Amino acid sequence: MGERKGTNKYYPPDFDPAKHGSLNKYHHSHPLRERARKLAQGILVIRFEMPYNIWCDGCKNHIGMGVRYNAEKKKVGTYYTTPIYRFRMKCHLCVNFIELQTDPAGCDYVIVRGARRKEERWDMAENQQLLPTAPEEKERLETDAMFRLERGEADRAALRRAGPTLAALQEAQSAWKDDFALNSRLRRRFREEKKTLREEEEAAAAPKEEEEEEDRRVAALLALRSPLSYEEKQRMKRTEICGRSWFPHQNGGAPRKPGFGGPPATPAGLGIVRRRAAGAPGEPGGAQRDGAPPAPPPSASLVADYSDSDGEGA
């Protein structure tokens, strides 16, 4: 653990390597700190993980496999040369203490006190599995001919009883042996189901044959719709406006834009009519020239009043 951490050790001035040896001996402490507080009693605090599901005797609650505790580890004996360790921990749901110890003979953990195991063990005899021969039975098979004969007869009878079941299992396995045929069968079934689903979707998306009154009315309105869209109409309208003349034309001539060729614009060309002062020759109420035709009446829309030099209106 210490190798993963950064080393930042302070050596006091009176530290002597020959006398103290290490900083732990100088401070009279253990490298494991609080975990070794009961080391004089042969107890070391470790992180213990529950090996299987148990029921706590104190609170009657279930404790699952893999739950971790700070357990006191202590050596309590040996199995031949293998040490036997005992772990003591406190339940996290109550004040009850649970004790477990190793079982080297059975390669398992045994509950000493404080809990009971939830039985989930696999029984080979109940599941008709081949049991390993015990050492005593193996020795008897080697020395007792009569026992060996009886054991052989019992095994043959068990084989006859299991014969039909084994044949059915072998036949079932042979049916699933060809991987290519199984894959082809599955893909064929998948294609058929996919085709059926596609046909159902197309049938659902197709229009209904029954025609309602509202549908007929909407169809008739759609038949009378203009062939041009709104954008096309707006574009044609803008083109027509841009092609028009800036000023109205006279005498049915072609429209002409001033500044783009042709004679300059005149008041008569712009539709402006001069009106002289009252009494002037050629105007209503005034004297006309000899032989001059009467002037046309002024336009009601475009009339410009021109005043005399003294500034008075006509």
Side-chain angles (χ1 to χ4, degrees):
M1 297 292 291
E3 290 79 4
R4 299 186 299 102
K5 303 175 182 178
T7 56
N8 186 16
K9 299 179 180 180
Y10 170 72
Y11 291 88
D14 57 344
F15 175 77
D16 186 4
K19 179 181 178 181
H20 301 100
S22 65
L23 287 175
N24 292 320
K25 290 183 179 180
Y26 175 83
H27 292 292
H28 303 287
S29 62
H30 196 274
L32 299 178
R33 300 295 187 270
E34 290 297 323
R35 292 175 56 191
R37 63 180 180 273
K38 297 184 179 180
L39 200 59
Q41 306 174 16
I43 298 175
L44 178 65
V45 178
I46 66 167
R47 195 68 173 164
F48 182 78
E49 185 174 325
M50 195 62 64
Y52 40 70
N53 298 323
I54 65 172
W55 300 94
C56 179
D57 288 343
C59 57
K60 307 302 180 182
N61 286 319
H62 175 263
I63 300 177
M65 179 177 62
V67 179
R68 296 181 179 180
Y69 295 94
N70 291 330
E72 298 179 353
K73 175 183 176 183
K74 182 179 181 180
K75 182 179 179 181
V76 295
T78 57
Y79 175 76
Y80 294 103
T81 58
T82 304
I84 298 176
Y85 294 102
R86 181 172 295 180
F87 307 93
R88 184 174 184 266
M89 66 209 77
K90 179 180 174 295
C91 178
H92 67 287
L93 301 172
C94 63
V95 296
N96 181 48
F97 281 88
I98 304 171
E99 292 187 11
L100 290 84
Q101 73 179 26
T102 58
D103 181 17
C107 300
D108 201 358
Y109 288 88
V110 179
I111 299 176
V112 178
R113 66 175 62 88
R116 57 187 177 87
R117 182 171 182 172
K118 183 179 179 182
E119 293 296 334
E120 295 178 340
R121 303 183 187 182
W122 181 265
D123 192 352
M124 300 177 65
E126 292 181 358
N127 293 277
Q128 299 180 359
Q129 289 185 333
L130 183 62
L131 300 175
T133 306
E136 298 82 4
E137 189 176 358
K138 184 177 181 181
E139 183 179 357
R140 190 176 178 186
L141 286 172
E142 292 176 354
T143 58
D144 192 348
M146 202 65 185
F147 180 76
R148 184 166 59 252
L149 180 61
E150 292 175 356
R151 179 66 179 272
E153 288 295 331
D155 291 343
R156 282 190 287 272
L159 178 61
R160 286 193 296 270
R161 289 194 300 270
T165 305
L166 293 176
L169 291 175
Q170 291 176 356
E171 184 178 357
Q173 289 179 353
S174 63
W176 295 90
K177 189 175 181 180
D178 192 354
D179 298 338
F180 179 77
L182 291 176
N183 189 19
S184 301
R185 189 184 308 170
L186 290 175
R187 291 174 65 85
R188 190 183 310 111
R189 184 182 304 174
F190 174 74
R191 285 194 296 269
E192 293 175 357
E193 294 178 356
K194 188 175 180 180
K195 182 179 179 180
T196 304
L197 292 175
R198 188 186 300 109
E199 291 177 354
E200 292 178 356
E201 292 177 358
E202 292 177 356
K208 297 182 179 180
E209 296 181 359
E210 303 135 2
E211 200 177 296
E212 299 181 359
E213 182 65 26
E214 185 68 17
D215 297 338
R216 286 194 294 270
R217 189 178 67 81
V218 173
L221 292 176
L222 291 177
L224 299 176
R225 187 179 58 182
S226 174
L228 300 178
S229 62
Y230 175 77
E231 290 77 7
E232 294 176 350
K233 290 181 179 179
Q234 291 295 107
R235 188 162 47 252
M236 292 178 62
K237 190 173 182 180
R238 285 194 295 269
T239 305
E240 182 182 357
I241 292 173
C242 294
R244 291 178 185 173
S245 174
W246 289 2
F247 304 102
H249 53 277
Q250 294 288 336
N251 303 325
R256 182 181 301 167
K257 297 181 181 180
F260 292 88
T266 60
L270 295 177
I272 301 174
V273 178
R274 290 184 178 182
R275 187 171 59 190
R276 300 180 181 277
E283 295 294 333
Q288 296 183 359
R289 297 179 184 177
D290 296 336
S299 175
S301 58
L302 297 174
V303 176
D305 296 336
Y306 288 88
S307 61
D308 297 330
S309 61
D310 55 355
E312 294 181 357

PDB file of all heavy atoms in Angstrom, residues 269-301:
ATOM      1  N   GLY A 269     -45.512  67.052 -72.586  1.00  0.00           N
ATOM      2  CA  GLY A 269     -45.320  65.604 -72.588  1.00  0.00           C
ATOM      3  C   GLY A 269     -45.629  64.987 -71.243  1.00  0.00           C
ATOM      4  O   GLY A 269     -45.970  63.819 -71.161  1.00  0.00           O
ATOM      5  N   LEU A 270     -45.448  65.769 -70.156  1.00  0.00           N
ATOM      6  CA  LEU A 270     -45.745  65.255 -68.819  1.00  0.00           C
ATOM      7  C   LEU A 270     -47.199  65.438 -68.459  1.00  0.00           C
ATOM      8  O   LEU A 270     -47.595  65.138 -67.322  1.00  0.00           O
ATOM      9  CB  LEU A 270     -44.865  65.964 -67.781  1.00  0.00           C
ATOM     10  CG  LEU A 270     -43.357  65.722 -67.897  1.00  0.00           C
ATOM     11  CD1 LEU A 270     -42.619  66.543 -66.865  1.00  0.00           C
ATOM     12  CD2 LEU A 270     -43.040  64.245 -67.742  1.00  0.00           C
ATOM     13  N   GLY A 271     -48.028  66.023 -69.366  1.00  0.00           N
ATOM     14  CA  GLY A 271     -49.440  66.217 -69.089  1.00  0.00           C
ATOM     15  C   GLY A 271     -49.737  67.496 -68.335  1.00  0.00           C
ATOM     16  O   GLY A 271     -50.787  67.613 -67.719  1.00  0.00           O
ATOM     17  N   ILE A 272     -48.786  68.487 -68.362  1.00  0.00           N
ATOM     18  CA  ILE A 272     -48.979  69.752 -67.642  1.00  0.00           C
ATOM     19  C   ILE A 272     -49.489  70.798 -68.629  1.00  0.00           C
ATOM     20  O   ILE A 272     -48.930  70.961 -69.719  1.00  0.00           O
ATOM     21  CB  ILE A 272     -47.674  70.210 -66.991  1.00  0.00           C
ATOM     22  CG1 ILE A 272     -47.163  69.120 -65.999  1.00  0.00           C
ATOM     23  CG2 ILE A 272     -47.846  71.535 -66.288  1.00  0.00           C
ATOM     24  CD1 ILE A 272     -45.815  69.418 -65.402  1.00  0.00           C
ATOM     25  N   VAL A 273     -50.522  71.480 -68.268  1.00  0.00           N
ATOM     26  CA  VAL A 273     -51.140  72.518 -69.140  1.00  0.00           C
ATOM     27  C   VAL A 273     -50.967  73.861 -68.473  1.00  0.00           C
ATOM     28  O   VAL A 273     -51.293  74.011 -67.284  1.00  0.00           O
ATOM     29  CB  VAL A 273     -52.634  72.215 -69.390  1.00  0.00           C
ATOM     30  CG1 VAL A 273     -53.274  73.305 -70.256  1.00  0.00           C
ATOM     31  CG2 VAL A 273     -52.790  70.851 -70.035  1.00  0.00           C
ATOM     32  N   ARG A 274     -50.465  74.832 -69.258  1.00  0.00           N
ATOM     33  CA  ARG A 274     -50.322  76.184 -68.733  1.00  0.00           C
ATOM     34  C   ARG A 274     -51.658  76.927 -68.834  1.00  0.00           C
ATOM     35  O   ARG A 274     -52.388  76.783 -69.798  1.00  0.00           O
ATOM     36  CB  ARG A 274     -49.256  76.951 -69.516  1.00  0.00           C
ATOM     37  CG  ARG A 274     -47.855  76.437 -69.252  1.00  0.00           C
ATOM     38  CD  ARG A 274     -46.861  77.299 -69.980  1.00  0.00           C
ATOM     39  NE  ARG A 274     -45.507  76.893 -69.721  1.00  0.00           N
ATOM     40  CZ  ARG A 274     -44.441  77.500 -70.201  1.00  0.00           C
ATOM     41  NH1 ARG A 274     -44.606  78.558 -71.010  1.00  0.00           N
ATOM     42  NH2 ARG A 274     -43.219  77.080 -69.912  1.00  0.00           N
ATOM     43  N   ARG A 275     -51.901  77.713 -67.849  1.00  0.00           N
ATOM     44  CA  ARG A 275     -53.106  78.540 -67.869  1.00  0.00           C
ATOM     45  C   ARG A 275     -52.679  79.987 -67.653  1.00  0.00           C
ATOM     46  O   ARG A 275     -52.040  80.301 -66.631  1.00  0.00           O
ATOM     47  CB  ARG A 275     -54.063  78.100 -66.779  1.00  0.00           C
ATOM     48  CG  ARG A 275     -55.409  78.803 -66.855  1.00  0.00           C
ATOM     49  CD  ARG A 275     -56.405  78.200 -65.893  1.00  0.00           C
ATOM     50  NE  ARG A 275     -55.908  78.302 -64.542  1.00  0.00           N
ATOM     51  CZ  ARG A 275     -56.474  77.694 -63.500  1.00  0.00           C
ATOM     52  NH1 ARG A 275     -57.514  76.883 -63.707  1.00  0.00           N
ATOM     53  NH2 ARG A 275     -55.995  77.842 -62.294  1.00  0.00           N
ATOM     54  N   ARG A 276     -53.014  80.787 -68.646  1.00  0.00           N
ATOM     55  CA  ARG A 276     -52.621  82.197 -68.567  1.00  0.00           C
ATOM     56  C   ARG A 276     -53.581  82.967 -67.667  1.00  0.00           C
ATOM     57  O   ARG A 276     -54.623  82.460 -67.249  1.00  0.00           O
ATOM     58  CB  ARG A 276     -52.608  82.830 -69.964  1.00  0.00           C
ATOM     59  CG  ARG A 276     -51.642  82.162 -70.910  1.00  0.00           C
ATOM     60  CD  ARG A 276     -51.645  82.817 -72.280  1.00  0.00           C
ATOM     61  NE  ARG A 276     -50.732  82.157 -73.173  1.00  0.00           N
ATOM     62  CZ  ARG A 276     -49.418  82.397 -73.232  1.00  0.00           C
ATOM     63  NH1 ARG A 276     -48.902  83.346 -72.449  1.00  0.00           N
ATOM     64  NH2 ARG A 276     -48.648  81.739 -74.067  1.00  0.00           N
ATOM     65  N   ALA A 277     -53.200  84.204 -67.458  1.00  0.00           N
ATOM     66  CA  ALA A 277     -54.016  85.062 -66.600  1.00  0.00           C
ATOM     67  C   ALA A 277     -55.326  85.422 -67.319  1.00  0.00           C
ATOM     68  O   ALA A 277     -55.457  85.311 -68.537  1.00  0.00           O
ATOM     69  CB  ALA A 277     -53.251  86.353 -66.259  1.00  0.00           C
ATOM     70  N   ALA A 278     -56.313  85.853 -66.538  1.00  0.00           N
ATOM     71  CA  ALA A 278     -57.629  86.201 -67.110  1.00  0.00           C
ATOM     72  C   ALA A 278     -57.487  87.376 -68.078  1.00  0.00           C
ATOM     73  O   ALA A 278     -56.775  88.342 -67.805  1.00  0.00           O
ATOM     74  CB  ALA A 278     -58.597  86.567 -65.989  1.00  0.00           C
ATOM     75  N   GLY A 279     -58.161  87.320 -69.177  1.00  0.00           N
ATOM     76  CA  GLY A 279     -58.112  88.379 -70.190  1.00  0.00           C
ATOM     77  C   GLY A 279     -57.032  88.182 -71.209  1.00  0.00           C
ATOM     78  O   GLY A 279     -56.925  88.952 -72.147  1.00  0.00           O
ATOM     79  N   ALA A 280     -56.214  87.192 -70.992  1.00  0.00           N
ATOM     80  CA  ALA A 280     -55.136  86.947 -71.963  1.00  0.00           C
ATOM     81  C   ALA A 280     -55.723  86.324 -73.203  1.00  0.00           C
ATOM     82  O   ALA A 280     -56.710  85.590 -73.131  1.00  0.00           O
ATOM     83  CB  ALA A 280     -54.076  86.061 -71.357  1.00  0.00           C
ATOM     84  N   PRO A 281     -55.164  86.662 -74.372  1.00  0.00           N
ATOM     85  CA  PRO A 281     -55.696  86.084 -75.613  1.00  0.00           C
ATOM     86  C   PRO A 281     -55.520  84.583 -75.637  1.00  0.00           C
ATOM     87  O   PRO A 281     -54.495  84.057 -75.198  1.00  0.00           O
ATOM     88  CB  PRO A 281     -54.878  86.782 -76.710  1.00  0.00           C
ATOM     89  CG  PRO A 281     -53.654  87.262 -76.031  1.00  0.00           C
ATOM     90  CD  PRO A 281     -54.040  87.564 -74.627  1.00  0.00           C
ATOM     91  N   GLY A 282     -56.513  83.898 -76.174  1.00  0.00           N
ATOM     92  CA  GLY A 282     -56.441  82.438 -76.287  1.00  0.00           C
ATOM     93  C   GLY A 282     -56.961  81.722 -75.075  1.00  0.00           C
ATOM     94  O   GLY A 282     -56.963  80.488 -75.038  1.00  0.00           O
ATOM     95  N   GLU A 283     -57.425  82.413 -73.964  1.00  0.00           N
ATOM     96  CA  GLU A 283     -57.925  81.782 -72.742  1.00  0.00           C
ATOM     97  C   GLU A 283     -59.410  82.129 -72.601  1.00  0.00           C
ATOM     98  O   GLU A 283     -59.888  83.110 -73.149  1.00  0.00           O
ATOM     99  CB  GLU A 283     -57.143  82.289 -71.538  1.00  0.00           C
ATOM    100  CG  GLU A 283     -55.673  81.889 -71.552  1.00  0.00           C
ATOM    101  CD  GLU A 283     -55.487  80.418 -71.422  1.00  0.00           C
ATOM    102  OE1 GLU A 283     -56.368  79.742 -70.821  1.00  0.00           O
ATOM    103  OE2 GLU A 283     -54.493  79.883 -71.936  1.00  0.00           O
ATOM    104  N   PRO A 284     -60.137  81.403 -71.874  1.00  0.00           N
ATOM    105  CA  PRO A 284     -61.556  81.729 -71.668  1.00  0.00           C
ATOM    106  C   PRO A 284     -61.685  83.078 -70.986  1.00  0.00           C
ATOM    107  O   PRO A 284     -60.996  83.349 -69.991  1.00  0.00           O
ATOM    108  CB  PRO A 284     -62.054  80.583 -70.770  1.00  0.00           C
ATOM    109  CG  PRO A 284     -61.106  79.466 -70.981  1.00  0.00           C
ATOM    110  CD  PRO A 284     -59.806  80.099 -71.283  1.00  0.00           C
ATOM    111  N   GLY A 285     -62.541  83.939 -71.492  1.00  0.00           N
ATOM    112  CA  GLY A 285     -62.724  85.292 -70.958  1.00  0.00           C
ATOM    113  C   GLY A 285     -61.792  86.315 -71.539  1.00  0.00           C
ATOM    114  O   GLY A 285     -61.840  87.477 -71.207  1.00  0.00           O
ATOM    115  N   GLY A 286     -60.883  85.896 -72.374  1.00  0.00           N
ATOM    116  CA  GLY A 286     -59.910  86.805 -72.973  1.00  0.00           C
ATOM    117  C   GLY A 286     -60.067  86.866 -74.469  1.00  0.00           C
ATOM    118  O   GLY A 286     -60.781  86.081 -75.076  1.00  0.00           O
ATOM    119  N   ALA A 287     -59.338  87.753 -75.093  1.00  0.00           N
ATOM    120  CA  ALA A 287     -59.416  87.901 -76.549  1.00  0.00           C
ATOM    121  C   ALA A 287     -58.602  86.836 -77.202  1.00  0.00           C
ATOM    122  O   ALA A 287     -57.523  86.486 -76.722  1.00  0.00           O
ATOM    123  CB  ALA A 287     -58.933  89.291 -76.950  1.00  0.00           C
ATOM    124  N   GLN A 288     -59.115  86.303 -78.292  1.00  0.00           N
ATOM    125  CA  GLN A 288     -58.404  85.280 -79.049  1.00  0.00           C
ATOM    126  C   GLN A 288     -57.766  85.904 -80.255  1.00  0.00           C
ATOM    127  O   GLN A 288     -58.190  86.926 -80.760  1.00  0.00           O
ATOM    128  CB  GLN A 288     -59.389  84.188 -79.489  1.00  0.00           C
ATOM    129  CG  GLN A 288     -60.014  83.427 -78.333  1.00  0.00           C
ATOM    130  CD  GLN A 288     -60.908  82.320 -78.834  1.00  0.00           C
ATOM    131  OE1 GLN A 288     -61.060  82.155 -80.060  1.00  0.00           O
ATOM    132  NE2 GLN A 288     -61.514  81.595 -77.926  1.00  0.00           N
ATOM    133  N   ARG A 289     -56.685  85.247 -80.723  1.00  0.00           N
ATOM    134  CA  ARG A 289     -56.000  85.707 -81.915  1.00  0.00           C
ATOM    135  C   ARG A 289     -56.876  85.450 -83.136  1.00  0.00           C
ATOM    136  O   ARG A 289     -57.755  84.580 -83.120  1.00  0.00           O
ATOM    137  CB  ARG A 289     -54.664  84.989 -82.087  1.00  0.00           C
ATOM    138  CG  ARG A 289     -53.677  85.270 -80.959  1.00  0.00           C
ATOM    139  CD  ARG A 289     -52.387  84.501 -81.200  1.00  0.00           C
ATOM    140  NE  ARG A 289     -51.461  84.666 -80.119  1.00  0.00           N
ATOM    141  CZ  ARG A 289     -50.295  84.056 -80.056  1.00  0.00           C
ATOM    142  NH1 ARG A 289     -49.943  83.248 -81.045  1.00  0.00           N
ATOM    143  NH2 ARG A 289     -49.495  84.268 -79.013  1.00  0.00           N
ATOM    144  N   ASP A 290     -56.577  86.201 -84.123  1.00  0.00           N
ATOM    145  CA  ASP A 290     -57.339  86.043 -85.358  1.00  0.00           C
ATOM    146  C   ASP A 290     -56.962  84.721 -85.991  1.00  0.00           C
ATOM    147  O   ASP A 290     -55.793  84.497 -86.312  1.00  0.00           O
ATOM    148  CB  ASP A 290     -57.044  87.225 -86.321  1.00  0.00           C
ATOM    149  CG  ASP A 290     -57.520  88.549 -85.738  1.00  0.00           C
ATOM    150  OD1 ASP A 290     -58.435  88.514 -84.877  1.00  0.00           O
ATOM    151  OD2 ASP A 290     -56.954  89.566 -86.135  1.00  0.00           O
ATOM    152  N   GLY A 291     -57.997  83.937 -86.199  1.00  0.00           N
ATOM    153  CA  GLY A 291     -57.756  82.670 -86.888  1.00  0.00           C
ATOM    154  C   GLY A 291     -57.183  81.577 -86.008  1.00  0.00           C
ATOM    155  O   GLY A 291     -56.883  80.512 -86.509  1.00  0.00           O
ATOM    156  N   ALA A 292     -56.999  81.861 -84.691  1.00  0.00           N
ATOM    157  CA  ALA A 292     -56.427  80.819 -83.795  1.00  0.00           C
ATOM    158  C   ALA A 292     -57.535  79.955 -83.257  1.00  0.00           C
ATOM    159  O   ALA A 292     -58.589  80.465 -82.875  1.00  0.00           O
ATOM    160  CB  ALA A 292     -55.657  81.481 -82.651  1.00  0.00           C
ATOM    161  N   PRO A 293     -57.354  78.670 -83.238  1.00  0.00           N
ATOM    162  CA  PRO A 293     -58.408  77.779 -82.702  1.00  0.00           C
ATOM    163  C   PRO A 293     -58.518  77.945 -81.207  1.00  0.00           C
ATOM    164  O   PRO A 293     -57.565  78.311 -80.521  1.00  0.00           O
ATOM    165  CB  PRO A 293     -57.904  76.376 -83.081  1.00  0.00           C
ATOM    166  CG  PRO A 293     -56.436  76.520 -83.172  1.00  0.00           C
ATOM    167  CD  PRO A 293     -56.180  77.920 -83.656  1.00  0.00           C
ATOM    168  N   PRO A 294     -59.704  77.687 -80.670  1.00  0.00           N
ATOM    169  CA  PRO A 294     -59.862  77.811 -79.205  1.00  0.00           C
ATOM    170  C   PRO A 294     -59.004  76.777 -78.479  1.00  0.00           C
ATOM    171  O   PRO A 294     -58.835  75.657 -78.928  1.00  0.00           O
ATOM    172  CB  PRO A 294     -61.357  77.584 -79.015  1.00  0.00           C
ATOM    173  CG  PRO A 294     -61.798  76.810 -80.190  1.00  0.00           C
ATOM    174  CD  PRO A 294     -60.933  77.241 -81.346  1.00  0.00           C
ATOM    175  N   ALA A 295     -58.455  77.176 -77.348  1.00  0.00           N
ATOM    176  CA  ALA A 295     -57.594  76.255 -76.554  1.00  0.00           C
ATOM    177  C   ALA A 295     -58.440  75.186 -75.887  1.00  0.00           C
ATOM    178  O   ALA A 295     -59.564  75.451 -75.477  1.00  0.00           O
ATOM    179  CB  ALA A 295     -56.832  77.073 -75.507  1.00  0.00           C
ATOM    180  N   PRO A 296     -57.901  74.020 -75.791  1.00  0.00           N
ATOM    181  CA  PRO A 296     -58.666  72.927 -75.122  1.00  0.00           C
ATOM    182  C   PRO A 296     -58.771  73.202 -73.645  1.00  0.00           C
ATOM    183  O   PRO A 296     -57.938  73.864 -73.057  1.00  0.00           O
ATOM    184  CB  PRO A 296     -57.825  71.686 -75.428  1.00  0.00           C
ATOM    185  CG  PRO A 296     -56.458  72.184 -75.635  1.00  0.00           C
ATOM    186  CD  PRO A 296     -56.608  73.546 -76.263  1.00  0.00           C
ATOM    187  N   PRO A 297     -59.850  72.703 -73.024  1.00  0.00           N
ATOM    188  CA  PRO A 297     -59.996  72.913 -71.558  1.00  0.00           C
ATOM    189  C   PRO A 297     -58.881  72.192 -70.803  1.00  0.00           C
ATOM    190  O   PRO A 297     -58.398  71.143 -71.220  1.00  0.00           O
ATOM    191  CB  PRO A 297     -61.370  72.318 -71.273  1.00  0.00           C
ATOM    192  CG  PRO A 297     -61.612  71.336 -72.358  1.00  0.00           C
ATOM    193  CD  PRO A 297     -60.922  71.897 -73.585  1.00  0.00           C
ATOM    194  N   PRO A 298     -58.460  72.761 -69.710  1.00  0.00           N
ATOM    195  CA  PRO A 298     -57.364  72.124 -68.968  1.00  0.00           C
ATOM    196  C   PRO A 298     -57.824  70.837 -68.305  1.00  0.00           C
ATOM    197  O   PRO A 298     -59.001  70.637 -68.034  1.00  0.00           O
ATOM    198  CB  PRO A 298     -56.986  73.190 -67.931  1.00  0.00           C
ATOM    199  CG  PRO A 298     -58.230  73.977 -67.730  1.00  0.00           C
ATOM    200  CD  PRO A 298     -58.924  74.004 -69.079  1.00  0.00           C
ATOM    201  N   SER A 299     -56.849  70.001 -68.079  1.00  0.00           N
ATOM    202  CA  SER A 299     -57.152  68.718 -67.420  1.00  0.00           C
ATOM    203  C   SER A 299     -57.443  68.947 -65.960  1.00  0.00           C
ATOM    204  O   SER A 299     -56.807  69.766 -65.303  1.00  0.00           O
ATOM    205  CB  SER A 299     -55.964  67.755 -67.578  1.00  0.00           C
ATOM    206  OG  SER A 299     -56.214  66.584 -66.842  1.00  0.00           O
ATOM    207  N   ALA A 300     -58.403  68.220 -65.451  1.00  0.00           N
ATOM    208  CA  ALA A 300     -58.789  68.385 -64.041  1.00  0.00           C
ATOM    209  C   ALA A 300     -57.778  67.765 -63.096  1.00  0.00           C
ATOM    210  O   ALA A 300     -57.706  68.113 -61.936  1.00  0.00           O
ATOM    211  CB  ALA A 300     -60.173  67.773 -63.830  1.00  0.00           C
ATOM    212  N   SER A 301     -56.998  66.808 -63.612  1.00  0.00           N
ATOM    213  CA  SER A 301     -56.058  66.092 -62.718  1.00  0.00           C
ATOM    214  C   SER A 301     -54.682  66.708 -62.706  1.00  0.00           C
ATOM    215  O   SER A 301     -54.019  66.708 -61.671  1.00  0.00           O
ATOM    216  CB  SER A 301     -55.956  64.619 -63.144  1.00  0.00           C
ATOM    217  OG  SER A 301     -55.529  64.547 -64.481  1.00  0.00           O
TER     218      SER A 301
END
